[in-house]
Coordinates of all heavy atoms in Angstrom, one line a residue:
R71 N -6.3 11.5 4.9 CA -5.3 12.5 5.4 C -4.8 12.2 6.9 O -3.6 12.1 7.1 CB -5.8 13.9 5.4 CG -4.9 14.9 5.8 CD -5.4 16.3 5.6 NE -4.7 17.2 6.2 CZ -4.9 18.5 6.3 NH1 -6.0 18.9 5.8 NH2 -4.0 19.3 6.9
A72 N -5.7 11.8 7.7 CA -5.4 11.5 9.1 C -4.5 10.1 9.1 O -3.5 10.0 9.9 CB -6.6 11.3 10.0
F73 N -4.8 9.2 8.2 CA -4.1 8.0 8.2 C -2.6 8.2 7.8 O -1.7 7.9 8.5 CB -4.7 7.0 7.2 CG -3.8 5.8 7.0 CD1 -4.3 4.6 7.8 CD2 -2.8 5.6 6.2 CE1 -3.6 3.4 7.7 CE2 -2.1 4.4 6.1 CZ -2.5 3.3 6.9
L74 N -2.4 9.2 6.8 CA -1.1 9.5 6.4 C -0.3 10.1 7.5 O 0.8 9.9 7.8 CB -1.0 10.2 5.1 CG -1.6 9.5 3.9 CD1 -1.5 10.3 2.6 CD2 -0.8 8.1 3.7
Q75 N -0.9 11.1 8.1 CA -0.3 11.9 9.2 C 0.0 11.0 10.4 O 1.1 11.3 11.1 CB -1.2 13.1 9.6 CG -1.3 14.2 8.5 CD -2.3 15.3 8.9 OE1 -3.2 15.1 9.7 NE2 -2.0 16.4 8.4
A76 N -0.7 10.0 10.6 CA -0.4 9.1 11.8 C 0.8 8.3 11.5 O 1.3 7.6 12.4 CB -1.7 8.2 12.0
Q77 N 1.4 8.3 10.3 CA 2.6 7.5 10.0 C 3.9 8.1 10.2 O 5.0 7.6 9.9 CB 2.4 7.0 8.5 CG 1.2 6.3 8.3 CD 0.7 5.4 9.3 OE1 1.4 4.5 9.9 NE2 -0.6 5.5 9.6
R78 N 3.9 9.4 10.8 CA 5.1 10.1 11.1 C 6.0 9.2 11.8 O 5.8 8.6 12.8 CB 4.8 11.3 11.9 CG 6.0 12.3 12.1 CD 5.6 13.5 12.9 NE 4.5 14.2 12.3 CZ 4.8 15.1 11.3 NH1 6.0 15.3 10.9 NH2 3.7 15.8 10.7
G79 N 7.2 9.1 11.2 CA 8.3 8.3 11.7 C 8.3 6.8 11.7 O 9.1 6.1 12.1
R80 N 7.2 6.4 11.0 CA 6.9 4.9 10.8 C 7.5 4.4 9.5 O 7.5 5.1 8.5 CB 5.6 4.6 11.0 CG 5.0 5.0 12.3 CD 3.6 4.8 12.5 NE 3.3 3.5 13.1 CZ 2.2 2.9 13.1 NH1 1.1 3.4 12.7 NH2 2.1 1.7 13.6
R81 N 7.7 3.0 9.4 CA 8.0 2.4 8.2 C 6.8 2.0 7.5 O 5.9 1.3 8.1 CB 8.8 1.0 8.5 CG 10.3 1.4 8.9 CD 11.0 0.0 9.2 NE 10.3 -0.9 10.0 CZ 10.4 -1.0 11.4 NH1 10.9 0.0 12.0 NH2 9.7 -1.9 12.0
V82 N 6.6 2.5 6.3 CA 5.4 2.3 5.5 C 5.7 1.6 4.2 O 6.5 2.1 3.4 CB 4.6 3.6 5.3 CG1 3.4 3.3 4.6 CG2 4.4 4.4 6.6
V83 N 5.1 0.5 4.0 CA 5.2 -0.1 2.5 C 4.1 0.4 1.7 O 2.9 0.4 2.1 CB 5.1 -1.6 2.7 CG1 4.8 -2.3 1.4 CG2 6.3 -2.3 3.3
L84 N 4.5 0.9 0.5 CA 3.6 1.3 -0.6 C 3.5 0.2 -1.5 O 4.3 0.0 -2.3 CB 4.0 2.6 -1.2 CG 4.4 3.8 -0.2 CD1 5.0 4.9 -0.9 CD2 3.1 4.0 0.6
A85 N 2.4 -0.6 -1.5 CA 2.2 -1.7 -2.3 C 1.4 -1.1 -3.5 O 0.3 -0.6 -3.3 CB 1.3 -2.8 -1.7
C86 N 1.9 -1.3 -4.8 CA 1.2 -0.7 -5.9 C 1.3 -1.7 -7.1 O 2.2 -2.5 -7.3 CB 1.8 0.6 -6.3 SG 3.6 0.4 -6.8
D87 N 0.3 -1.4 -8.0 CA 0.4 -2.0 -9.3 C 1.5 -1.5 -10.0 O 2.0 -0.4 -9.8 CB -1.1 -1.7 -10.1 CG -1.2 -2.7 -11.3 OD1 -0.5 -3.5 -11.5 OD2 -2.2 -2.4 -11.9
R88 N 2.0 -2.2 -11.0 CA 3.2 -1.8 -11.7 C 2.9 -1.1 -13.1 O 3.7 -0.8 -13.9 CB 4.2 -3.0 -12.0 CG 3.5 -4.1 -12.8 CD 4.4 -5.3 -12.8 NE 3.9 -6.3 -13.8 CZ 4.6 -6.4 -15.0 NH1 5.8 -5.9 -15.2 NH2 4.1 -7.3 -15.8
D89 N 1.6 -0.7 -13.2 CA 1.3 0.2 -14.4 C 1.5 1.6 -14.1 O 2.0 2.0 -13.0 CB -0.1 -0.1 -14.8 CG -1.3 0.2 -13.8 OD1 -0.9 0.9 -12.8 OD2 -2.4 -0.1 -14.1
V90 N 1.3 2.4 -15.0 CA 1.6 3.9 -14.9 C 0.9 4.6 -13.8 O 1.5 5.4 -12.9 CB 1.5 4.7 -16.3 CG1 0.1 4.8 -16.7 CG2 2.2 5.9 -16.2
D91 N -0.4 4.3 -13.6 CA -1.1 5.0 -12.5 C -0.7 4.4 -11.1 O -0.7 5.1 -10.1 CB -2.6 4.9 -12.8 CG -3.3 3.6 -13.1 OD1 -2.6 2.7 -13.6 OD2 -4.5 3.4 -12.9
G92 N -0.5 3.1 -11.1 CA 0.0 2.6 -9.8 C 1.4 3.1 -9.3 O 1.6 3.5 -8.2
I93 N 2.3 3.1 -10.2 CA 3.6 3.7 -9.9 C 3.6 5.2 -9.6 O 4.2 5.6 -8.7 CB 4.6 3.4 -11.0 CG1 4.9 1.8 -11.3 CG2 6.0 4.1 -10.9 CD1 5.6 1.2 -10.1
A94 N 2.8 5.9 -10.4 CA 2.6 7.4 -10.2 C 2.1 7.6 -8.8 O 2.5 8.4 -8.1 CB 1.8 8.0 -11.3
A95 N 1.1 6.8 -8.5 CA 0.5 6.9 -7.2 C 1.4 6.7 -6.0 O 1.5 7.3 -5.0 CB -0.8 6.1 -7.0
A96 N 2.2 5.6 -6.2 CA 3.3 5.3 -5.1 C 4.3 6.4 -5.0 O 4.6 6.8 -3.9 CB 3.9 3.9 -5.5
V97 N 4.7 7.0 -6.1 CA 5.7 8.0 -6.1 C 5.1 9.2 -5.3 O 5.8 9.8 -4.5 CB 6.3 8.4 -7.5 CG1 7.1 9.6 -7.4 CG2 7.1 7.2 -8.1
L98 N 4.0 9.6 -5.7 CA 3.3 10.8 -5.1 C 3.1 10.5 -3.6 O 3.3 11.4 -2.7 CB 2.1 11.2 -5.8 CG 2.2 11.7 -7.1 CD1 0.9 11.8 -7.8 CD2 2.9 13.1 -7.1
T99 N 2.6 9.3 -3.2 CA 2.5 9.0 -1.8 C 3.8 8.9 -1.0 O 3.7 9.4 0.1 CB 1.7 7.7 -1.7 OG1 0.5 7.8 -2.5 CG2 1.4 7.3 -0.3
K100 N 4.7 8.4 -1.7 CA 6.1 8.4 -1.0 C 6.6 9.8 -0.7 O 7.1 10.1 0.3 CB 7.2 7.6 -1.9 CG 8.4 7.5 -1.3 CD 9.5 6.7 -2.2 CE 10.7 6.6 -1.5 NZ 11.7 5.8 -2.2
R101 N 6.4 10.6 -1.7 CA 6.8 12.0 -1.5 C 6.1 12.7 -0.3 O 6.6 13.4 0.5 CB 6.6 12.8 -2.8 CG 7.2 14.2 -2.7 CD 7.1 14.9 -4.1 NE 7.6 16.2 -4.0 CZ 7.7 17.1 -4.9 NH1 7.1 16.7 -6.0 NH2 8.2 18.3 -4.7
A102 N 4.7 12.4 -0.3 CA 3.9 13.0 0.7 C 4.4 12.4 2.1 O 4.5 13.1 3.1 CB 2.5 12.8 0.5
L103 N 4.6 11.2 2.3 CA 5.0 10.5 3.5 C 6.3 11.0 3.9 O 6.7 11.1 5.0 CB 4.9 8.9 3.4 CG 3.5 8.4 3.4 CD1 3.6 6.9 3.0 CD2 2.9 8.5 4.8
G104 N 7.3 11.2 2.9 CA 8.6 11.7 3.2 C 8.5 13.0 3.9 O 9.3 13.4 4.7
R105 N 7.6 13.8 3.4 CA 7.4 15.2 4.0 C 6.9 15.1 5.5 O 7.1 16.0 6.2 CB 6.5 16.1 3.2 CG 7.2 16.5 1.9 CD 6.3 17.3 1.1 NE 6.9 17.8 -0.2 CZ 6.9 18.9 -0.7 NH1 6.1 19.8 -0.2 NH2 7.5 19.2 -1.8
L106 N 6.3 14.0 5.8 CA 5.8 13.7 7.1 C 6.7 13.0 8.0 O 6.5 12.6 9.1 CB 4.5 13.0 7.1 CG 3.2 13.7 6.5 CD1 2.2 12.7 6.2 CD2 2.8 14.8 7.3
A107 N 8.1 12.9 7.5 CA 9.0 12.2 8.2 C 8.8 10.7 8.4 O 9.4 10.0 9.3 CB 9.4 12.9 9.5
A108 N 8.0 10.0 7.5 CA 7.8 8.6 7.5 C 8.9 8.0 6.7 O 9.8 8.8 6.1 CB 6.4 8.3 7.0
H109 N 9.0 6.7 6.7 CA 10.0 6.0 6.0 C 9.3 5.0 5.0 O 9.3 3.8 5.3 CB 10.9 5.2 7.0 CG 11.5 6.1 8.0 ND1 12.5 7.0 7.8 CD2 11.1 6.4 9.3 CE1 12.7 7.7 9.0 NE2 11.9 7.2 9.9
P110 N 8.9 5.6 3.9 CA 8.2 4.8 2.9 C 9.1 4.0 2.0 O 10.2 4.4 1.6 CB 7.4 5.8 2.1 CG 8.2 7.1 2.2 CD 8.8 7.0 3.5
T111 N 8.6 2.8 1.6 CA 9.3 1.9 0.7 C 8.2 1.4 -0.3 O 7.2 0.9 0.0 CB 9.9 0.7 1.4 OG1 10.8 1.0 2.4 CG2 10.6 -0.3 0.5
I112 N 8.6 1.5 -1.6 CA 7.7 1.1 -2.7 C 8.0 -0.3 -3.0 O 9.1 -0.7 -3.3 CB 7.8 1.9 -3.9 CG1 7.5 3.4 -3.7 CG2 7.0 1.4 -5.1 CD1 7.7 4.4 -4.9
V113 N 6.9 -1.1 -2.9 CA 7.0 -2.6 -3.3 C 5.9 -2.8 -4.3 O 4.9 -3.1 -4.1 CB 6.7 -3.5 -2.0 CG1 7.0 -4.9 -2.4 CG2 7.7 -3.1 -1.0
P114 N 6.5 -2.8 -5.6 CA 5.5 -3.0 -6.8 C 5.0 -4.6 -6.8 O 5.9 -5.4 -6.5 CB 6.2 -2.7 -8.0 CG 7.5 -2.2 -7.6 CD 7.7 -2.5 -6.2
I115 N 3.9 -4.7 -7.2 CA 3.3 -6.1 -7.3 C 3.8 -6.6 -8.7 O 3.7 -6.0 -9.7 CB 1.8 -6.1 -7.3 CG1 1.4 -5.7 -5.8 CG2 1.2 -7.5 -7.7 CD1 0.0 -5.4 -5.6
R116 N 4.5 -7.8 -8.7 CA 5.1 -8.3 -10.0 C 4.1 -8.9 -10.9 O 2.9 -9.3 -10.4 CB 6.1 -9.2 -9.6 CG 7.3 -8.6 -8.9 CD 8.4 -9.6 -8.6 NE 9.5 -9.0 -7.9 CZ 10.3 -9.6 -7.2 NH1 10.3 -10.9 -6.9 NH2 11.4 -8.9 -6.6
K117 N 4.4 -9.2 -12.1 CA 3.5 -9.8 -13.0 C 3.0 -11.2 -12.4 O 3.8 -12.0 -11.9 CB 4.1 -10.1 -14.3 CG 3.2 -10.6 -15.5 CD 3.8 -10.6 -16.8 CE 3.0 -11.1 -17.8 NZ 3.7 -11.1 -19.2
G118 N 1.6 -11.4 -12.4 CA 1.2 -12.7 -11.9 C 0.9 -12.7 -10.4 O 0.5 -13.6 -9.9
E119 N 1.3 -11.6 -9.7 CA 1.1 -11.5 -8.3 C -0.2 -10.7 -8.0 O -0.7 -9.9 -8.8 CB 2.3 -10.9 -7.6 CG 3.5 -11.7 -7.4 CD 4.4 -10.9 -6.7 OE1 4.6 -9.6 -6.7 OE2 5.3 -11.5 -6.0
S120 N -0.7 -10.8 -6.7 CA -1.6 -9.9 -6.2 C -1.1 -9.6 -4.8 O -0.1 -10.1 -4.3 CB -3.0 -10.6 -6.2 OG -3.0 -11.5 -5.1
V121 N -1.8 -8.7 -4.1 CA -1.4 -8.4 -2.6 C -1.7 -9.5 -1.8 O -1.0 -9.6 -0.7 CB -2.1 -7.0 -2.1 CG1 -1.6 -5.8 -2.8 CG2 -3.5 -7.2 -2.2
Q122 N -2.4 -10.5 -2.2 CA -2.6 -11.7 -1.4 C -1.6 -12.8 -1.7 O -1.5 -13.8 -1.0 CB -4.0 -12.3 -1.6 CG -5.1 -11.5 -0.8 CD -5.5 -10.3 -1.8 OE1 -5.3 -10.2 -2.9 NE2 -6.2 -9.4 -1.1
S123 N -0.8 -12.7 -2.8 CA 0.1 -13.7 -3.2 C 1.3 -13.9 -2.1 O 1.8 -12.9 -1.5 CB 0.9 -13.3 -4.4 OG 0.0 -13.2 -5.5
P124 N 1.7 -15.2 -1.8 CA 2.7 -15.5 -0.9 C 4.0 -14.7 -1.1 O 4.7 -14.2 -0.2 CB 2.8 -16.9 -0.9 CG 1.5 -17.5 -1.3 CD 1.0 -16.5 -2.2
S125 N 4.4 -14.8 -2.4 CA 5.6 -14.2 -2.8 C 5.7 -12.7 -2.5 O 6.6 -12.1 -2.1 CB 5.9 -14.4 -4.4 OG 4.8 -13.9 -5.1
F126 N 4.5 -12.0 -2.8 CA 4.4 -10.6 -2.5 C 4.4 -10.3 -0.9 O 5.0 -9.4 -0.5 CB 3.2 -9.9 -3.0 CG 2.9 -8.5 -2.7 CD1 3.8 -7.5 -3.3 CD2 2.2 -8.1 -1.7 CE1 3.7 -6.2 -2.9 CE2 1.9 -6.8 -1.3 CZ 2.9 -5.8 -1.9
R127 N 3.6 -11.1 -0.2 CA 3.5 -11.0 1.2 C 5.0 -11.1 1.9 O 5.4 -10.4 2.7 CB 2.6 -12.0 1.8 CG 1.2 -11.7 1.6 CD 0.3 -12.8 2.3 NE -1.1 -12.5 2.0 CZ -2.0 -13.0 2.6 NH1 -1.8 -14.0 3.5 NH2 -3.3 -12.8 2.4
D128 N 5.8 -12.0 1.2 CA 7.1 -12.2 1.8 C 8.0 -11.0 1.5 O 8.7 -10.5 2.4 CB 7.8 -13.4 1.2 CG 7.2 -14.8 1.6 OD1 6.6 -14.7 2.6 OD2 7.5 -15.7 0.9
R129 N 7.9 -10.4 0.3 CA 8.6 -9.2 0.0 C 8.2 -8.1 0.9 O 8.9 -7.3 1.3 CB 8.5 -8.8 -1.5 CG 9.2 -9.8 -2.3 CD 9.4 -9.4 -3.8 NE 8.1 -9.4 -4.4 CZ 7.5 -8.3 -4.9 NH1 8.1 -7.1 -4.9 NH2 6.3 -8.4 -5.6
M130 N 7.0 -7.9 1.1 CA 6.4 -6.9 1.9 C 6.8 -7.0 3.3 O 7.3 -6.1 4.0 CB 4.8 -6.8 1.9 CG 4.2 -5.7 2.6 SD 2.4 -5.6 2.4 CE 1.8 -7.2 2.9
A131 N 6.8 -8.2 3.9 CA 7.2 -8.5 5.2 C 8.7 -8.1 5.5 O 9.1 -7.8 6.6 CB 6.9 -9.9 5.7
S132 N 9.5 -8.5 4.5 CA 10.9 -8.2 4.6 C 11.2 -6.7 4.9 O 12.4 -6.4 5.3 CB 11.7 -8.6 3.4 OG 11.5 -7.8 2.2
S133 N 10.3 -5.8 4.7 CA 10.5 -4.4 4.9 C 10.0 -4.1 6.3 O 10.2 -2.9 6.7 CB 9.7 -3.5 3.9 OG 10.3 -3.7 2.6
S134 N 9.5 -5.0 7.1 CA 9.1 -4.8 8.5 C 8.2 -3.5 8.6 O 8.4 -2.7 9.4 CB 10.2 -4.7 9.5 OG 11.1 -5.8 9.4
P135 N 7.0 -3.6 7.8 CA 6.2 -2.4 7.8 C 5.5 -2.2 9.2 O 5.0 -3.1 9.8 CB 5.2 -2.6 6.6 CG 5.0 -4.1 6.6 CD 6.5 -4.7 6.9
E136 N 5.3 -0.9 9.5 CA 4.4 -0.5 10.5 C 3.1 0.0 10.1 O 2.1 0.2 10.9 CB 5.1 0.5 11.4 CG 6.4 0.0 12.1 CD 7.1 1.2 12.7 OE1 7.8 2.0 12.0 OE2 7.1 1.3 14.0
A137 N 2.9 0.1 8.7 CA 1.8 0.4 8.0 C 1.8 0.1 6.6 O 3.0 0.0 6.1 CB 1.4 1.9 8.2
V138 N 0.8 -0.1 5.9 CA 0.8 -0.4 4.5 C -0.3 0.5 3.8 O -1.4 0.7 4.2 CB 0.3 -1.9 4.2 CG1 0.3 -2.2 2.7 CG2 1.4 -2.9 4.9
V139 N 0.2 1.0 2.6 CA -0.8 1.7 1.8 C -0.8 1.0 0.4 O 0.2 0.7 -0.2 CB -0.2 3.2 1.5 CG1 -1.3 3.9 0.5 CG2 -0.2 4.0 2.8
V140 N -2.0 0.5 0.1 CA -2.1 -0.4 -1.2 C -2.7 0.6 -2.2 O -3.8 1.1 -2.0 CB -3.0 -1.5 -0.9 CG1 -3.2 -2.4 -2.1 CG2 -2.4 -2.4 0.3
L141 N -2.1 0.7 -3.4 CA -2.4 1.7 -4.4 C -2.7 1.0 -5.7 O -1.9 0.2 -6.2 CB -1.3 2.7 -4.6 CG -0.8 3.5 -3.4 CD1 0.6 3.9 -3.4 CD2 -1.8 4.6 -3.1
D142 N -3.9 1.2 -6.3 CA -4.3 0.8 -7.6 C -4.2 -0.7 -7.9 O -3.7 -1.2 -8.9 CB -3.5 1.5 -8.7 CG -4.0 1.3 -10.1 OD1 -5.1 1.4 -10.3 OD2 -3.1 1.1 -10.9
T143 N -4.6 -1.6 -6.9 CA -4.5 -3.0 -7.0 C -6.0 -3.6 -7.0 O -6.1 -4.8 -7.0 CB -3.8 -3.7 -5.9 OG1 -4.4 -3.5 -4.6 CG2 -2.3 -3.0 -5.8
G144 N -7.0 -2.8 -6.8 CA -8.3 -3.4 -6.5 C -8.5 -3.7 -5.1 O -7.5 -3.7 -4.3
S145 N -9.6 -4.0 -4.7 CA -10.0 -4.4 -3.3 C -10.8 -5.7 -3.3 O -11.8 -5.8 -4.0 CB -10.6 -3.2 -2.7 OG -11.0 -3.6 -1.4
R146 N -10.4 -6.5 -2.5 CA -11.2 -7.8 -2.2 C -11.4 -8.0 -0.7 O -10.6 -7.3 0.1 CB -10.4 -9.0 -2.7 CG -10.1 -9.0 -4.2 CD -9.1 -10.1 -4.6 NE -8.2 -9.9 -5.7 CZ -7.4 -9.0 -5.9 NH1 -7.4 -7.9 -5.1 NH2 -6.6 -8.9 -6.8
A147 N -12.2 -8.8 -0.3 CA -12.4 -9.0 1.2 C -11.4 -9.8 1.9 O -11.3 -9.9 3.0 CB -13.8 -9.6 1.4
T148 N -10.4 -10.4 1.1 CA -9.3 -11.2 1.5 C -8.4 -10.4 2.3 O -7.9 -9.3 1.8 CB -8.6 -11.9 0.3 OG1 -9.6 -12.6 -0.5 CG2 -7.7 -12.9 0.9
P149 N -7.9 -10.8 3.5 CA -6.9 -10.0 4.2 C -5.6 -9.9 3.4 O -5.2 -10.8 2.7 CB -6.6 -10.9 5.5 CG -7.8 -11.7 5.6 CD -8.3 -11.9 4.2
I150 N -4.9 -8.8 3.6 CA -3.6 -8.5 3.0 C -2.5 -9.3 3.8 O -1.5 -9.7 3.1 CB -3.4 -7.1 2.8 CG1 -4.4 -6.5 1.8 CG2 -2.0 -6.7 2.3 CD1 -4.5 -5.1 1.7
G151 N -2.6 -9.5 5.0 CA -1.7 -10.2 5.8 C -0.6 -9.5 6.5 O 0.3 -10.0 7.0
A152 N -0.6 -8.1 6.4 CA 0.5 -7.4 7.0 C 0.2 -7.3 8.5 O 1.3 -7.1 9.3 CB 0.5 -6.0 6.4
G153 N -1.0 -7.3 9.0 CA -1.2 -7.2 10.5 C -0.9 -5.9 11.0 O -0.7 -5.7 12.2
V154 N -0.9 -4.8 10.2 CA -0.7 -3.5 10.5 C -1.8 -2.6 9.9 O -2.6 -3.0 9.0 CB 0.7 -3.0 10.1 CG1 1.8 -3.8 10.7 CG2 0.8 -3.0 8.6
P155 N -1.9 -1.3 10.3 CA -2.9 -0.4 9.7 C -2.7 -0.4 8.2 O -1.5 -0.3 7.8 CB -2.5 1.0 10.4 CG -1.9 0.6 11.7 CD -1.1 -0.6 11.4
T156 N -3.8 -0.5 7.6 CA -3.6 -0.6 6.0 C -4.8 0.4 5.4 O -5.9 0.5 5.9 CB -4.1 -2.0 5.5 OG1 -3.2 -2.9 6.2 CG2 -4.0 -2.1 4.1
L157 N -4.3 1.1 4.5 CA -5.1 2.0 3.7 C -5.1 1.6 2.2 O -4.1 1.4 1.6 CB -4.5 3.5 3.8 CG -5.2 4.6 2.9 CD1 -6.6 4.8 3.4 CD2 -4.4 5.9 2.9
L158 N -6.3 1.5 1.7 CA -6.6 1.0 0.3 C -6.9 2.3 -0.6 O -7.9 3.0 -0.2 CB -7.5 0.0 0.1 CG -7.3 -1.4 0.8 CD1 -8.5 -2.1 0.9 CD2 -6.2 -2.1 0.1
V159 N -6.1 2.6 -1.7 CA -6.6 3.8 -2.4 C -6.7 3.2 -3.9 O -5.7 2.7 -4.4 CB -5.5 4.8 -2.4 CG1 -5.8 6.1 -3.1 CG2 -5.2 5.3 -0.9
D160 N -7.8 3.4 -4.4 CA -7.9 2.9 -5.8 C -9.0 3.6 -6.5 O -10.0 4.1 -5.8 CB -8.5 1.4 -5.6 CG -8.0 0.6 -7.0 OD1 -8.3 1.0 -8.0 OD2 -7.3 -0.5 -6.7
H161 N -9.1 3.6 -7.8 CA -10.1 4.2 -8.7 C -11.0 3.2 -9.1 O -12.0 3.6 -9.8 CB -9.5 5.0 -9.8 CG -8.7 4.2 -10.7 ND1 -9.1 3.7 -11.9 CD2 -7.4 3.8 -10.7 CE1 -8.1 3.1 -12.5 NE2 -7.1 3.0 -11.7
H162 N -10.8 1.9 -8.9 CA -11.8 0.8 -9.3 C -12.8 0.7 -8.2 O -12.6 0.9 -7.0 CB -11.0 -0.4 -9.5 CG -9.9 -0.4 -10.5 ND1 -8.6 -0.3 -10.2 CD2 -10.0 -0.3 -11.9 CE1 -7.8 -0.3 -11.2 NE2 -8.6 -0.2 -12.2
Q163 N -13.9 0.2 -8.6 CA -15.0 -0.2 -7.7 C -14.6 -1.3 -6.8 O -14.2 -2.4 -7.3 CB -16.3 -0.5 -8.4 CG -17.5 -0.9 -7.5 CD -18.0 0.3 -6.7 OE1 -17.9 1.4 -7.1 NE2 -18.4 0.0 -5.5
P164 N -14.5 -1.2 -5.5 CA -14.1 -2.3 -4.6 C -15.0 -3.5 -4.7 O -16.2 -3.4 -4.7 CB -14.0 -1.7 -3.2 CG -14.8 -0.6 -3.2 CD -14.8 0.0 -4.7
S165 N -14.5 -4.8 -4.8 CA -15.4 -5.9 -4.7 C -15.5 -6.5 -3.3 O -16.1 -7.4 -3.0 CB -14.8 -7.0 -5.6 OG -13.5 -7.4 -5.2
G166 N -14.8 -5.8 -2.4 CA -14.9 -6.2 -0.9 C -13.7 -5.5 -0.3 O -12.9 -4.7 -0.8
L167 N -13.7 -5.5 1.1 CA -12.7 -4.8 2.0 C -12.1 -5.7 2.9 O -12.9 -6.4 3.7 CB -13.5 -3.5 2.6 CG -12.6 -2.6 3.3 CD1 -11.6 -1.9 2.4 CD2 -13.5 -1.6 4.1
P168 N -10.8 -5.9 2.9 CA -10.2 -6.6 3.9 C -10.6 -6.2 5.3 O -10.7 -5.0 5.5 CB -8.7 -6.4 3.7 CG -8.6 -5.9 2.3 CD -9.8 -5.1 2.0
P169 N -10.5 -7.1 6.3 CA -10.8 -6.7 7.7 C -9.8 -5.6 8.1 O -8.7 -5.8 7.8 CB -10.7 -8.0 8.5 CG -10.6 -9.1 7.5 CD -10.2 -8.5 6.2
D170 N -10.2 -4.7 9.0 CA -9.5 -3.7 9.5 C -8.8 -2.8 8.6 O -7.6 -2.3 8.8 CB -8.4 -4.3 10.5 CG -9.2 -5.0 11.6 OD1 -10.2 -4.6 12.0 OD2 -8.6 -6.1 12.0
A171 N -9.2 -2.7 7.3 CA -8.6 -1.8 6.4 C -9.5 -0.5 6.1 O -10.7 -0.8 6.2 CB -8.3 -2.5 5.0
T172 N -8.9 0.6 5.8 CA -9.6 1.8 5.4 C -9.5 1.8 3.9 O -8.4 1.6 3.3 CB -8.9 3.0 6.0 OG1 -9.0 2.7 7.5 CG2 -9.6 4.3 5.7
C173 N -10.6 2.2 3.2 CA -10.6 2.2 1.7 C -11.0 3.6 1.3 O -11.9 4.2 1.7 CB -11.5 1.3 1.2 SG -11.6 1.2 -0.6
V174 N -10.2 4.2 0.3 CA -10.5 5.4 -0.4 C -10.6 5.1 -1.9 O -9.6 4.7 -2.4 CB -9.5 6.5 -0.1 CG1 -9.8 7.8 -0.9 CG2 -9.3 6.7 1.5
S175 N -11.8 5.4 -2.5 CA -11.8 5.1 -3.9 C -12.5 6.2 -4.6 O -13.0 7.2 -4.1 CB -12.6 3.8 -4.1 OG -13.9 3.9 -3.7

């Protein structure tokens, strides 16, 4: 909760899996952030991509995020590469946690 409240007025990328639970999580998170006057953008992960894929990182970076919320993509110890505060939200058991990320599972 504190992480989301801290994003008031900031550009936030919502990186999500493109399945039903990932998209639903992104839509609900976008709505919550919108109520906090943040500026969320949903960036779904395409088929064959992960949050570590160069193509995904390029699309995420083009939004100039000030924070990232990663939804339903699993968690690995590999950095996501955004260089901004990052929150991981997932229902899967994490296999690792990127440096400087907060995880909610």
Side-chain angles (χ1 to χ4, degrees):
R71 180 176 173 183
F73 180 93
L74 295 179
Q75 288 177 336
Q77 305 319 312
R78 184 176 305 275
R80 300 178 87 190
R81 290 182 310 277
V82 182
V83 164
L84 306 176
C86 65
D87 193 5
R88 58 192 194 108
D89 62 9
V90 70
D91 51 337
I93 295 295
V97 168
L98 291 170
T99 305
K100 181 176 182 176
R101 187 172 181 185
L103 285 168
R105 289 181 180 215
L106 294 171
H109 306 285
T111 301
I112 297 174
V113 181
I115 295 168
R116 295 179 180 157
K117 187 175 183 176
E119 283 184 330
S120 73
V121 291
Q122 287 85 13
S123 299
S125 58
F126 176 76
R127 287 181 180 191
D128 289 346
R129 288 189 296 116
M130 183 173 57
S132 72
S133 296
S134 301
E136 296 174 281
V138 175
V139 179
V140 181
L141 303 154
D142 191 44
T143 67
S145 174
R146 300 169 212 51
T148 310
I150 293 170
V154 297
T156 302
L157 175 66
L158 300 165
V159 180
D160 207 307
H161 60 98
H162 302 103
Q163 179 67 32
S165 63
L167 186 62
D170 301 325
T172 301
C173 182
V174 178
S175 59

